[in-house]
């Protein structure tokens, strides 16, 4: 039985889970849950995931949500080796730290900028939110000044998660030119399996945000 992912390409977390799955190489059956049509509130979906968020994974009846938990599970279960999600205690802890950095800081700052513009009629990015994101990006810049990828010398699920988040704001046109290591890493991420698929969703997201921004 294939693994099923309830997915919406607009969503950074959803793309993060899928980008991880593409690097892992596990075949995925995708079912689109259109958040604009509120399909996540259908009874059948709420039965599956009472928190009604995407991404949601269904692996032969084992249902899991939270994009980074999905990426970790898939890497542990289907990874050909442990490069993407190391078994070594300290290397794994570093990947986890970067994953938590994404979920509790980077993605949160990006969402704080984009959601009011997408859904609440804002037409400008507030300067404090801009500074907030750039301060967080400065930490990412520091991580990347110490290693080729965000958690060491090879790609891990921290890269796929963080790249899926960052690509959303890059598609809005965020200037990262002063972050030389992030710029280098973003270029490296073009080699990730599923990169084009992620870009497509990020682009749609970016266009929707830009459409509501005052020129
Ligand atoms: N921390 C979660 C965030 C998931 C999330 O917020 N998903 C949003 C789309 S970006 C969603 O499904 N919203 C619809 C809802 O909650 O009803 C993850 O990483 O998976």
């Amino acid at each position: 039985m294939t693994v099923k992912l309830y997915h919406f390409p607009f969503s950074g977390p959803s793309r993060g889970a899928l980008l991880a799955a593409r690097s892992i190489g596990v075949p995925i059956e995708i079912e689109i849950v259109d958040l604009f049509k509120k399909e996540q509130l259908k009874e059948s979906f709420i039965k599956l995931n009472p928190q009604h968020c995407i991404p949601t994974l269904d692996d032969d009846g084992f249902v899991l949500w939270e994009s980074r938990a999905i990426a970790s599970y898939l890497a542990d279960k289907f990874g050909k080796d442990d490069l993407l999600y190391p078994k070594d205690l300290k290397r794994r802890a570093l990947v986890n730290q970067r994953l938590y950095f994404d979920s509790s800081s980077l993605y949160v700052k990006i969402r704080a900028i984009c959601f009011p513009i997408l859904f609440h009629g804002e037409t400008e990015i507030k300067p404090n939110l801009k500074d907030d994101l750039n301060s967080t990006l400065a930490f990412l810049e520091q991580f990347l000044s110490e290693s080729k990828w965000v958690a060491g010398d090879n790609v891990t699920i921290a890269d796929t998660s963080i790249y899926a988040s960052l690509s959303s704001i890059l598609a809005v046109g965020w200037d990262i030119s002063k972050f030389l290591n992030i710029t280098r890493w973003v270029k490296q991420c073009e080699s990730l399996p599923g990169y084009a698929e992620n870009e497509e969703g990020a682009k749609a997201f970016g266009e929707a945000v830009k459409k509501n921004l005052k020129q």
Side-chain angles (χ1 to χ4, degrees):
M1 200 178 148
T2 50
V3 174
K4 191 168 183 173
L5 187 73
Y6 294 87
H7 172 62
F8 192 48
F10 233 69
S11 153
S14 204
R15 280 185 279 107
L18 188 59
L19 201 54
R22 297 308 189 207
S23 277
I24 293 159
V26 52
I28 295 278
E29 179 192 337
I30 292 176
E31 183 161 330
I32 299 290
V33 177
D34 189 331
L35 301 182
F36 291 128
K37 295 187 184 151
K38 300 254 178 252
E39 286 178 352
Q40 81 276 22
L41 300 179
K42 278 186 180 167
E43 206 182 322
S44 56
F45 190 68
I46 289 189
K47 216 165 161 185
L48 197 72
N49 172 359
Q51 208 179 312
H52 54 76
C53 53
I54 51 93
T56 294
L57 183 87
D58 184 348
D59 179 17
D60 200 14
F62 175 66
V63 179
L64 187 68
W65 56 94
E66 284 295 337
S67 57
R68 297 157 195 90
I70 292 172
S72 306
Y73 171 78
L74 291 177
D76 275 341
K77 182 165 176 186
F78 300 102
K80 292 175 198 72
D81 49 44
D82 76 346
L83 284 175
L84 284 163
Y85 195 37
K87 299 262 188 282
D88 174 82
L89 189 63
K90 289 181 180 161
R91 292 186 56 221
R92 190 178 185 96
L94 191 67
V95 173
N96 287 338
Q97 186 258 306
R98 305 306 199 227
L99 288 170
Y100 288 116
F101 163 78
D102 182 28
S103 81
S104 64
S105 193
L106 181 64
Y107 172 69
V108 174
K109 309 284 165 78
I110 293 171
R111 190 181 58 192
I113 289 173
C114 297
F115 277 34
I117 298 167
L118 273 175
F119 303 116
H120 306 130
E122 293 274 352
T123 57
E124 281 173 337
I125 301 172
K126 294 209 168 74
N128 63 316
L129 297 181
K130 211 178 238 183
D131 293 346
D132 239 19
L133 176 55
N134 281 331
S135 308
T136 301
L137 287 175
F139 294 127
L140 179 60
E141 174 70 10
Q142 196 181 333
F143 305 155
L144 285 163
S145 72
E146 287 159 14
S147 57
K148 183 174 178 196
W149 296 92
V150 298
D153 291 334
N154 59 272
V155 178
T156 67
I157 56 170
D159 293 282
T160 47
S161 178
I162 291 178
Y163 185 70
S165 296
L166 188 68
S167 60
S168 298
I169 198 74
L170 291 179
V172 175
W174 204 263
D175 181 12
I176 56 159
S177 58
K178 69 174 173 181
F179 300 116
L180 298 182
N181 287 293
I182 299 180
T183 305
R184 161 188 59 78
W185 170 79
V186 163
K187 188 85 191 132
Q188 277 167 218
C189 287
E190 290 176 13
S191 66
L192 295 174
Y195 172 83
E197 182 179 41
N198 178 78
E199 291 312 285
E200 208 178 301
K203 190 166 175 239
F205 177 89
E207 292 304 324
V209 174
K210 283 192 286 188
K211 192 162 70 101
N212 292 353
L213 274 177
K214 210 159 51 190
Q215 293 308 315

